[in-house]
Amino acid sequence: MPIKQFCTKNKVWDFKSYDLTRWAAFVGTIFFIGSMFMFVFQGPDARVTDPNIFVMIWIKWFGYFTVQSNIVVGAYLLWYLLNPKHKAVNGNFLVYMVAYITITFTLYSALLLPAAIKNGDVQYWGWVGYTTNIIQHYLVPVSAFVFYGLYVWQHKNDFNSKWKLWSSMGMGLIYPCIYIAYACLLPFMSNHQYSVYGAFTNLDPKLEINGVAGNASALIYIFGALAGFVLVLILYRLAFVKFNKKAK
């Protein structure tokens, strides 16, 4: 189906037909596009000193969970905006999307931002860095939270009360587990130069960050993040049952 015909059929250009949920998807999509533009505009990551190592481009474009969770949010909201009735936007993917961005929002606010302030990293951000961090860590997450709340409320009578919690959690944890393994191995794969989230993911004793070599204590943060994934997945998944009022 041609793009123009697809958009016309799904009333993509008919803004007067948008309800609050679709408007939330529209605003979130704009924030996502802005976040990706600002991230590219930032330029090379200054913390990677060897331009020949394979992680240079990977870290710059996709290595951060922040960027990846923003992409998940952007992909979901854009698809909902284009086709709100498609089955792909009416299932567990919604839960995974909002759970992933919640972890990004929470860990950045509780750990990464305070560490950046303490270490003086923020003074090197400039307006581009500040803008990028605000969009990716606050505007995109908040738009996802608003969308989720509106979606759940709008569809409170449509959810199926028969769901399998642990199978849902298992699917939702596959990617976070892969990413945690990646974060643990990256300091070693990058020739002892780089840890994706500084001391919080540095297990490499040959890599020093702010004068402190990596050690097993980073596992506390790593597995703490994994426990956070489990918690937020359960909480968001429970919302589908809590708001389900349909008679069996």
Side-chain angles (χ1 to χ4, degrees):
M1 180 183 297
I3 295 178
K4 183 177 181 180
Q5 183 180 350
F6 174 86
C7 291
T8 301
K9 179 181 178 181
N10 291 282
K11 299 182 178 181
V12 176
W13 313 122
D14 185 9
F15 295 110
K16 292 182 179 180
S17 68
Y18 282 20
D19 56 16
L20 286 177
T21 308
R22 205 167 186 186
W23 271 115
F26 177 82
V27 172
T29 300
I30 297 300
F31 284 149
F32 163 71
I33 294 173
S35 76
M36 291 298 101
F37 174 79
M38 294 302 299
F39 189 72
V40 172
F41 189 56
Q42 273 188 294
D45 193 314
R47 290 174 294 176
V48 181
T49 57
D50 184 354
N52 297 316
I53 59 175
F54 80 95
V55 295
M56 180 66 177
I57 295 178
W58 171 253
I59 290 171
K60 175 55 197 168
W61 295 98
F62 301 113
Y64 296 108
F65 188 82
T66 292
V67 176
Q68 296 168 16
S69 60
N70 271 246
I71 291 174
V72 171
V73 171
Y76 179 92
L77 295 182
L78 177 60
W79 188 248
Y80 182 90
L81 183 66
L82 295 176
N83 193 353
K85 295 183 180 180
H86 194 278
K87 63 180 180 179
V89 299
N90 293 281
N92 284 326
F93 187 34
L94 170 63
V95 178
Y96 304 154
M97 177 274 290
V98 74
Y100 292 173
I101 202 66
T102 296
I103 291 296
T104 293
F105 172 83
T106 303
L107 292 185
Y108 180 79
S109 300
L111 293 177
L112 300 177
L113 181 59
I117 295 174
K118 180 181 179 181
N119 297 330
D121 294 337
V122 295
Q123 63 181 315
Y124 302 108
W125 285 358
W127 73 269
V128 175
Y130 281 112
T131 303
T132 303
N133 277 281
I134 289 173
I135 295 176
Q136 291 187 339
H137 297 105
Y138 293 105
L139 295 184
V140 171
V142 168
S143 67
F145 302 153
V146 171
F147 173 85
Y148 183 81
L150 290 171
Y151 183 96
V152 170
W153 182 256
Q154 182 184 26
H155 296 83
K156 59 182 180 294
N157 296 322
D158 301 329
F159 296 128
N160 185 356
S161 61
K162 296 180 179 180
W163 54 280
K164 298 179 181 179
L165 175 63
W166 296 114
S167 62
S168 174
M169 297 305 99
M171 291 295 294
L173 286 171
I174 289 176
Y175 178 71
C177 288
I178 293 174
Y179 185 82
I180 285 174
Y182 157 78
C184 291
L185 294 174
L186 184 58
F188 304 96
M189 295 189 297
S190 65
N191 195 25
H192 315 292
Q193 292 191 57
Y194 190 83
S195 173
V196 66
Y197 283 115
F200 298 113
T201 53
N202 183 23
L203 298 173
D204 186 356
K206 295 183 179 180
L207 173 61
E208 291 189 1
I209 299 176
N210 296 322
V212 179
N215 55 68
S217 63
L219 290 173
I220 297 175
Y221 300 106
I222 292 170
F223 285 104
L226 185 60
F229 272 112
V230 174
L231 178 60
V232 296
L233 279 169
I234 290 175
L235 291 178
Y236 282 120
R237 191 64 181 88
L238 285 174
F240 280 75
V241 174
K242 181 178 179 181
F243 286 95
N244 179 24
K245 305 299 183 182
K246 181 182 294 186
K248 295 184 179 179

